[in-house]
């Protein structure tokens, strides 16, 4: 073969590999996962706005329409239903890193690519499934020991690269980042301290909110899913080291740490979404006020909301509930600062880390959060990157975690520790579907994972595409 023929075949081999890798990366939900796993549970067949596409027999039509959202009947034209399925995507602990002066170039490149790898997962799943809710399960960042400037920089990446959204939904982040001034956490501290406990609670109760920027917008006419950010130990710290500065900037850019949203109140389809800051339930804490606030939230939920609440609860929180060793990867563990920690001696005795909530906290919190014995409940958490699935059964006089449900005394609460979306855990998306069963008059919940692969495949798709483009340009120029 002559040189130019070898060159010509190389060019096409690279091109074919690039096309194959890109197809793989864009269509991974259907290629890598069992049928149904990357869809809502019992999802109704999709329809197209082009009638000739509706003639394609299923399941092929669904494959085509899942992967090419622009061919679908627009969401706004869906028939209105007052019994709308609960459609939530959950992303476990992205933990994005930052760059320091000492960070090597290869690591910087890795961090840069990782943002877009995670963003690719979000974009693919959001376009495919059009969720009403998206929750990031805490540990948004890799470290709580960062300055405000770095906090702004990572939040900027969070909205620009990972979880992209329309401009009006990220205006606050972009403005804060552009101003780049240290946040006035003292002001936040003063306002919080002065607030009456009932007033604080009332400011954490919402009804039928589907859009943070327009409370009257209702699905399907919402422009973005309701985006929920949870506090993680890497965002605000464990209670033994969480400061007012941590709490203030989290509230500024990611929202409140505790709140409840009631849906369909007073109707059989009633349910609620509770966001709970599990980092500030136990101490000893550096700022004991945080524990007061979170417990006060739970107590007010018990006294003010529970008496009129008849539905199912969907709980979102970072730290899993107590369970015996062996049920999940992480067993129970609490670590406290002691005299061997000489760097900041004022923390001695404080809670330094925890894998689970304690047994006592678990008993109390589950009782308050899931008050209705006949209604199934579900809790999604983060923290343990491996993920886990178990049930809290009420047996005798207390809640016991088990791999299997036991409904003999009351409806169990399922706890799903959402496996991380990081490349090392195969870029997971957790898909939670809630469907109202008319016969039993109850919400039923189903959960599945849609898995991607380690980030190297995503990198390979970009690199081969770039090389292929380069080879084509060279051969075009040198013709
Ligand atoms: C944040 O990003 C800006 C540039 O956008 C940079 O000047 C600043 O040093 C960064 N902050 C930190 C703590 O690295
Ligand atoms: C808010 O939503 C309502 C109901 O969909 C709509 O009529 C209104 O125009 C929206 N307001 C804004 C500012 O987008
Ligand atoms: C979560 O954080 C994003 C990014 O800052 C923000 O757009 C969104 O509104 C936040 N959610 C809440 C409930 O504040
Ligand atoms: C289910 O719970 C009941 C008590 O409520 C207990 O007697 C029974 O042994 C449990 N069943 C299993 C399989 O654990
Ligand atoms: C765990 C769980 O709730 N799984 C349910 C998912 O949906 C199927 C079919 O409706 C049920 O049979 C499962 O029990």
């Amino acid at each position: 073969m002559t040189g130019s023929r070898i060159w010509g075949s190389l060019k096409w081999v690279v091109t074919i590999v690039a096309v194959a890798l890109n197809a793989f990366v864009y269509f991974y939900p259907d290629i890598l996962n069992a049928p149904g796993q990357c869809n809502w549970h019992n999802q109704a067949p999709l329809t197209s706005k082009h009638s000739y596409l509706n003639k394609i027999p299923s399941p092929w039509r669904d494959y085509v329409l899942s992967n090419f959202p622009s061919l679908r009947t627009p969401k706004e034209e869906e028939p209105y239903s007052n019994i709308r399925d609960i459609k939530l995507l959950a992303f476990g602990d992205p933990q994005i890193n930052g760059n320091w002066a000492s960070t090597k170039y290869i690591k910087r490149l890795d961090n840069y690519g990782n943002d877009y790898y995670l963003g690719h997962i979000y974009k693919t799943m959001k376009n495919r499934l059009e969720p009403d809710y998206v929750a990031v399960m805490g540990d948004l960042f890799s470290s709580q020991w960062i300055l405000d400037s770095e906090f702004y920089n990572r939040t900027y990446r969070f909205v620009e690269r990972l979880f992209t959204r329309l401009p009006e939904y990220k205006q606050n982040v972009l403005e804060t980042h552009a101003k780049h001034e240290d946040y006035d956490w003292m002001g936040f501290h003063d306002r919080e301290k002065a607030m009456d406990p009932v007033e604080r609670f009332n400011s954490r109760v919402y009804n039928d909110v589907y859009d943070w920027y327009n409370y009257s917008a209702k699905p399907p006419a919402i422009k973005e899913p309701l985006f929920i950010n949870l506090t993680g130990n890497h965002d605000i710290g464990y209670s033994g080291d969480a400061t007012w500065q941590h709490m203030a900037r989290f509230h500024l850019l990611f929202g409140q740490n505790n709140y409840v949203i009631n849906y369909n109140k007073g109707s059989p389809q009633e349910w609620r979404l509770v966001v709970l800051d599990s980092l500030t339930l136990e101490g000893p804490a550096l700022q004991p006020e945080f524990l007061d606030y979170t417990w006060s939230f739970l107590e007010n939920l018990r006294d003010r909301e529970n008496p009129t609440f008849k539905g199912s609860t969907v709980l979102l929180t970072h730290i899993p509930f107590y369970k015996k060793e062996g049920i999940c990867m992480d067993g129970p563990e609490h670590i406290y600062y002691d005299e061997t920690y000489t760097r900041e001696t004022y923390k001695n005795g404080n809670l330094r880390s925890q894998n689970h909530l304690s047994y006592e906290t678990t008993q109390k919190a589950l009782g308050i959060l899931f008050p209705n014995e006949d209604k199934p409940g579900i809790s999604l958490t983060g923290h343990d990157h491996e993920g886990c699935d178990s049930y809290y059964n009420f047996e005798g006089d207390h809640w016991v975690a088990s791999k299997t449900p036991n409904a003999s005394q009351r409806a169990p609460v399922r706890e799903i520790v959402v496996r991380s979306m990081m490349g090392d855990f195969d870029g997971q998306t957790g898909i939670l579907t809630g469907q109202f069963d008319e016969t039993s008059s109850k919400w039923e919940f189903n959960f599945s994972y849609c898995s991607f692969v380690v980030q190297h495949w995503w990198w390979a798709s970009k690199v081969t595409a770039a090389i292929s483009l380069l080879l084509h340009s060279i051969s075009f120029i040198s013709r």
Side-chain angles (χ1 to χ4, degrees):
M1 271 202 285
T2 65
S4 76
R5 281 186 58 197
I6 293 174
W7 174 254
S9 13
L10 177 70
K11 186 175 76 182
W12 288 111
V13 169
V14 173
T15 304
I16 290 164
V17 172
V19 168
L21 280 172
N22 278 281
F24 170 71
V25 159
Y26 282 95
F27 304 135
Y28 80 84
D30 292 316
I31 296 173
L32 290 172
N33 296 275
Q37 231 173 296
C38 297
N39 293 338
W40 302 112
H41 182 67
N42 283 338
Q43 179 175 299
L46 299 169
T47 57
S48 175
K49 59 187 174 194
H50 305 293
S51 55
Y52 62 92
L53 287 176
N54 289 327
K55 297 197 184 98
I56 305 176
S58 67
W60 303 107
R61 184 176 69 201
D62 269 43
Y63 284 135
V64 172
L65 297 179
S66 300
N67 291 299
F68 298 97
S70 59
L71 300 175
R72 294 205 284 257
T73 309
K75 200 174 158 184
E76 295 71 42
E77 289 169 27
E78 275 172 27
Y80 175 77
S81 160
N82 58 349
I83 316 176
R84 198 178 164 74
D85 287 358
I86 299 168
K87 296 178 172 181
L88 181 145
L89 295 186
F91 294 97
D93 307 31
Q95 281 195 212
I96 56 171
N97 277 302
N99 299 323
W100 310 106
S102 62
T103 307
K104 297 219 165 56
Y105 279 103
I106 188 77
K107 180 69 188 143
R108 284 171 194 251
L109 187 65
D110 182 42
N111 287 341
Y112 178 82
N114 190 52
D115 286 356
Y116 289 101
Y117 162 81
L118 298 176
H120 173 74
I121 295 172
Y122 177 63
K123 207 179 291 170
T124 306
M125 295 308 294
K126 181 185 166 215
N127 290 343
R128 179 185 176 91
L129 294 180
E130 304 188 289
D132 287 342
Y133 305 90
V134 172
V136 184
M137 306 310 297
D139 286 357
L140 319 172
F141 304 156
S142 66
S143 169
Q144 69 274 39
W145 308 115
I146 56 178
L147 300 171
D148 284 356
S149 163
E150 179 63 15
F151 193 82
Y152 300 155
N153 288 357
R154 289 199 206 178
T155 312
Y156 181 86
R157 288 160 52 196
F158 192 83
V159 302
E160 291 290 86
R161 298 180 184 169
L162 278 80
F163 301 102
T164 50
R165 60 200 68 185
L166 295 170
E168 59 266 40
Y169 292 79
K170 60 186 178 193
Q171 207 175 341
N172 179 29
V173 176
L174 300 187
E175 279 168 9
T176 307
H177 180 262
K179 261 204 291 173
H180 226 82
E181 285 164 3
D182 281 349
Y183 186 50
D184 171 26
W185 59 265
M186 283 297 278
F188 174 80
H189 162 274
D190 295 345
R191 286 192 301 280
E192 285 286 308
K193 283 240 166 173
M195 206 183 268
D196 171 71
V198 174
E199 190 196 332
R200 173 178 297 103
F201 180 69
N202 289 338
S203 70
R204 268 79 169 164
V205 178
Y206 302 87
N207 288 300
D208 295 306
V209 173
Y210 290 92
D211 183 331
W212 291 127
Y213 296 88
N214 183 357
Y215 285 2
S216 53
K218 302 284 175 253
I222 50 171
K223 287 189 270 178
E224 288 280 357
L226 192 83
F227 206 98
I228 297 164
N229 317 287
L230 303 189
T231 48
N233 48 290
H234 285 308
D235 309 310
I236 60 161
Y238 291 102
S239 77
D241 53 44
T243 64
W244 277 100
Q245 183 189 10
H246 286 118
M247 204 52 108
R249 66 195 187 186
F250 188 91
H251 277 68
L252 172 68
L253 297 179
F254 293 111
Q256 293 163 336
N257 57 342
N258 293 305
Y259 54 94
V260 53
I261 315 176
N262 296 303
Y263 292 95
N264 313 328
K265 219 171 174 168
S267 80
Q269 292 84 31
E270 179 171 13
W271 69 283
R272 70 182 179 189
L273 210 156
V274 178
V275 171
L276 178 68
D277 179 8
S278 42
L279 276 320
T280 52
L281 283 171
E282 292 172 15
L286 190 60
Q287 299 294 343
E289 307 92 305
F290 296 156
L291 306 191
D292 292 347
Y293 295 163
T294 299
W295 278 108
S296 158
F297 171 76
L298 282 178
E299 285 153 10
N300 279 303
L301 192 73
R302 178 191 62 203
D303 299 339
R304 290 167 188 276
E305 290 292 318
N306 285 359
T308 56
F309 175 66
K310 302 275 172 287
S312 282
T313 302
V314 175
L315 172 68
L316 302 172
T317 196
H318 183 66
I319 306 221
F321 287 108
Y322 171 82
K323 55 184 76 61
K324 281 199 300 238
E325 189 80 43
I327 295 180
C328 298
M329 185 59 94
D330 283 352
E333 181 184 87
H334 281 70
I335 296 175
Y336 300 88
Y337 287 102
D338 60 18
E339 61 285 353
T340 59
Y341 184 73
T342 50
R343 208 155 59 90
E344 293 157 308
T345 47
Y346 63 93
K347 288 186 184 167
N348 272 359
N350 285 359
L351 180 60
R352 187 170 185 171
S353 75
Q354 61 188 128
N355 279 355
H356 296 163
L357 292 169
S358 71
Y359 172 83
E360 291 75 23
T361 305
T362 298
Q363 300 301 323
K364 265 201 226 165
L366 283 173
I368 296 173
L369 292 158
F370 300 94
N372 299 322
E373 302 199 345
D374 59 332
K375 299 291 163 69
I378 190 157
S379 168
L380 303 184
T381 81
H383 206 40
D384 182 345
H385 297 166
E386 293 290 340
C388 192
D389 188 355
S390 60
Y391 292 87
Y392 283 81
N393 302 314
F394 201 74
E395 295 181 2
D397 58 358
H398 71 157
W399 298 90
V400 187
S402 158
K403 277 291 180 197
T404 49
N406 177 355
S408 66
Q409 253 177 274
R410 60 153 288 169
V413 173
R414 186 176 179 190
E415 183 197 66
I416 291 167
V417 180
V418 180
R419 192 172 160 84
S420 169
M421 79 181 301
M422 288 187 275
D424 291 348
F425 302 89
D426 293 337
Q428 304 294 336
T429 302
I431 303 173
L432 175 72
T433 316
Q435 280 165 333
F436 189 74
D437 179 19
E438 297 274 8
T439 331
S440 64
S441 202
K442 283 177 195 166
W443 284 99
E444 281 178 358
F445 298 99
N446 256 272
F447 183 89
S448 66
Y449 283 113
C450 185
S451 311
F452 190 28
V453 275
V454 68
Q455 67 269 29
H456 310 129
W457 290 92
W458 176 87
W459 270 113
S461 74
K462 300 291 162 214
V463 171
T464 50
I467 297 175
S468 156
L469 193 67
L470 187 73
L471 294 181
H472 282 280
S473 316
I474 293 173
S475 78
F476 181 77
I477 293 167
S478 56
R479 256 201 316 198

